[in-house]
Amino acid sequence: MQTELSKKLGVEHAIFGFTPFPAVAAAISRAGGFGVLGAVRYTAPDDLKRDLDWIEAHVDGKPYGLDVVMPAKKVEGVTEADVEAMIPEGHRQFVNDTLAKYGVPELAEGEVSGWRITGWMEQVARNQLDVAFDYPIKLLANALGSPPVDVVERAHDRGVLVAALAGSARHARKHQEGGIDIVVAQGYEAGGHTGEIASMVLTPEVVDAVSPLPVLAAGGIGSGRQIAAALALGAQGVWLGSLWLTTTEAELPSPKLIEKLLAAESGDTVRSRALTGKPARQLRTEWTDAWDDPTGPGTLPMPLQGLLVAEAVSRIQKYEVEPLLGTPVGQIVGRMNSERSVQAVFDDLTRGFERAVDRVNRIAGRSGQ
Ligand SMILES: Cc1cc2nc3c(=O)[nH]c(=O)nc-3n(C[C@H](O)[C@H](O)[C@H](O)COP(=O)(O)O)c2cc1C
């Protein structure tokens, strides 16, 4: 499965995998795809360094990339304490009442939540880049907006391609004006922050809007058939996030969460502001229902909501409080029904792609070509 872009990056298959887990990123690249490590959780540069060292040691010299979160709106110069001070008391009370209703225990004395907002702050992302540029990364992706021009230049000086996620043709054109190299057109079905346009409509719209810039199709892809469809729509590859969550290499915080993902159907996700303040697709739970209930206080804007719920999310995960337990995941969760290795998932994707292409060739009267 070769496209101009996969050839340029030196990968066997034009399958890009976003993941927060180093072992998954390395396994995707080893399998012949392109693993991209999500950096948002690395607030300490040394932790990122440790995990990039690990990837380097386990990627067999194959190419990989890094994804940072530099929001379009800068929150520079603002500390977590400043953001804390902006959170209304009524919202804190709502969090406490909801946790009490489900009997969610407190964290241990001195234990801090693993999930912080600082990963979304520009300075933190810049510190991550200072670390990452010491490694032979081949791609830098940016979620939530166009990367700053100086970051694009810095990447290009090192021969690193720059990608940015877009949920509309308008966003994609803005990225293009900012000098990036690849647009990831991410549809409504996708896990994590999403726009409102479904991949079937979005992919060709973005392909046409930014041509000749290469586009990767993202959102709702979990089979070779869907990869074939995305390439038929004009994409130069696909970008998958959810599918890797139930691989054996993933390090999800709780076995109950894995069970929930394996059991979930495609209708069991919701696009909710409950996690970060911006619409993000995730498992629908009694926690998201509480935030989306019109009789409740409603969510706060980013980055307040993320800080407000950070400790609560850690408590729910630590104590595996089943009705509240969730994660960002896309509608493709309905097809994530068994735990398999990244290599097994990859084999399934590439074989399914070949079968889909054969089928279309037969329909087009080109069998045997
Ligand atoms: C658990 C999870 C976390 C995500 N976090 C990020 C992120 O930090 N940065 C980013 O660019 N995209 C993030 N995404 C979105 C992915 O990059 C990707 O676009 C999306 O998962 C593709 O759709 P799919 O989930 O249907 O495969 C996340 C997705 C998931 C499932």
Side-chain angles (χ1 to χ4, degrees):
M1 193 190 306
Q2 288 275 312
T3 63
E4 263 175 54
L5 182 62
S6 65
K7 285 184 203 149
K8 192 168 178 181
L9 283 165
V11 290
E12 197 183 338
H13 300 291
I15 300 174
F16 293 69
F18 168 90
T19 172
F21 308 117
V24 177
I28 292 168
S29 290
R30 277 200 314 272
F34 191 97
V36 181
L37 179 70
V40 68
R41 71 190 170 99
Y42 295 97
T43 48
D46 281 350
D47 292 345
L48 179 59
K49 201 170 169 338
R50 178 202 60 217
D51 284 358
L52 288 175
D53 281 339
W54 191 93
I55 290 179
E56 271 296 307
H58 291 86
V59 80
D60 293 351
K62 299 283 173 64
Y64 64 94
L66 193 78
D67 176 284
V68 296
V69 181
M70 286 194 169
K73 272 194 208 138
K74 293 190 182 184
V75 279
E76 220 176 346
V78 180
T79 64
E80 274 197 4
D82 299 332
V83 179
E84 287 269 11
M86 294 178 207
I87 295 174
E89 198 40 48
H91 280 76
R92 291 192 190 282
Q93 196 54 51
F94 179 73
V95 170
N96 291 339
D97 291 348
T98 310
L99 294 175
K101 183 175 157 197
Y102 289 88
V104 184
E106 304 262 350
L107 293 179
E109 185 86 25
E111 194 178 352
V112 289
S113 153
W115 164 252
R116 308 301 297 173
I117 61 158
T118 38
W120 298 336
M121 292 185 166
E122 178 163 349
Q123 192 48 52
V124 176
R126 284 183 180 273
N127 293 344
Q128 291 166 349
L129 292 178
D130 288 342
V131 172
F133 283 138
D134 282 341
Y135 291 80
I137 57 166
K138 292 276 183 291
L139 177 84
L140 176 68
N142 190 43
L144 299 182
S146 297
V149 176
D150 68 296
V151 171
V152 176
E153 282 171 2
R154 216 173 140 193
H156 286 168
D157 285 348
R158 286 167 173 74
V160 176
L161 295 183
V162 181
L165 275 71
S168 70
R170 191 169 53 84
H171 280 150
R173 272 193 295 267
K174 228 177 125 222
H175 291 332
Q176 185 177 32
E177 284 159 19
I180 63 153
D181 309 288
I182 301 164
V183 175
V184 180
Q186 194 203 241
Y188 174 79
E189 309 92 315
H193 293 117
T194 63
E196 291 181 329
I197 306 169
S199 298
M200 183 62 111
V201 173
L202 182 71
T203 307
E205 235 174 55
V206 172
V207 166
D208 291 348
V210 301
S211 174
L213 218 59
V215 172
L216 298 174
I221 298 173
S223 70
R225 279 184 281 176
Q226 289 161 320
I227 295 175
L231 297 185
L233 293 173
Q236 285 219 20
V238 291
W239 174 280
L240 282 62
S242 293
L243 198 66
W244 319 109
L245 290 175
T246 49
T247 57
T248 44
E249 289 90 342
E251 294 159 53
L252 281 180
S254 109
K256 269 197 192 152
L257 181 56
I258 298 172
E259 279 168 33
K260 270 187 119 170
L261 286 172
L262 295 174
E265 298 180 1
S266 51
D268 290 337
T269 70
V270 64
R271 199 170 154 267
S272 167
R273 295 177 186 268
L275 196 58
T276 65
K278 275 186 184 288
R281 187 170 298 287
Q282 52 203 290
L283 271 187
R284 182 177 170 189
T285 66
E286 292 185 30
W287 178 253
T288 61
D289 283 353
W291 283 108
D292 296 336
D293 186 338
T295 64
T299 53
L300 295 171
M302 188 183 228
L304 275 66
Q305 181 72 13
L307 193 58
L308 171 65
V309 302
E311 188 186 316
V313 170
S314 292
R315 283 166 62 182
I316 292 165
Q317 285 182 350
K318 175 172 178 186
Y319 299 107
E320 301 195 288
V321 185
E322 220 268 343
L324 306 179
L325 194 58
T327 175
V329 72
Q331 294 179 335
I332 197 65
V333 71
R335 303 300 291 255
M336 293 156 50
N337 304 128
S338 64
E339 262 189 287
R340 291 178 301 162
S341 67
V342 166
Q343 184 67 59
V345 170
F346 219 87
D347 291 344
D348 199 41
L349 292 175
T350 51
R351 276 198 296 264
F353 173 75
E354 280 165 25
R355 279 196 301 271
V357 171
D358 285 348
R359 179 168 182 273
V360 173
N361 271 334
R362 273 198 308 279
I363 292 169
R366 297 204 185 100
S367 52
Q369 284 191 4

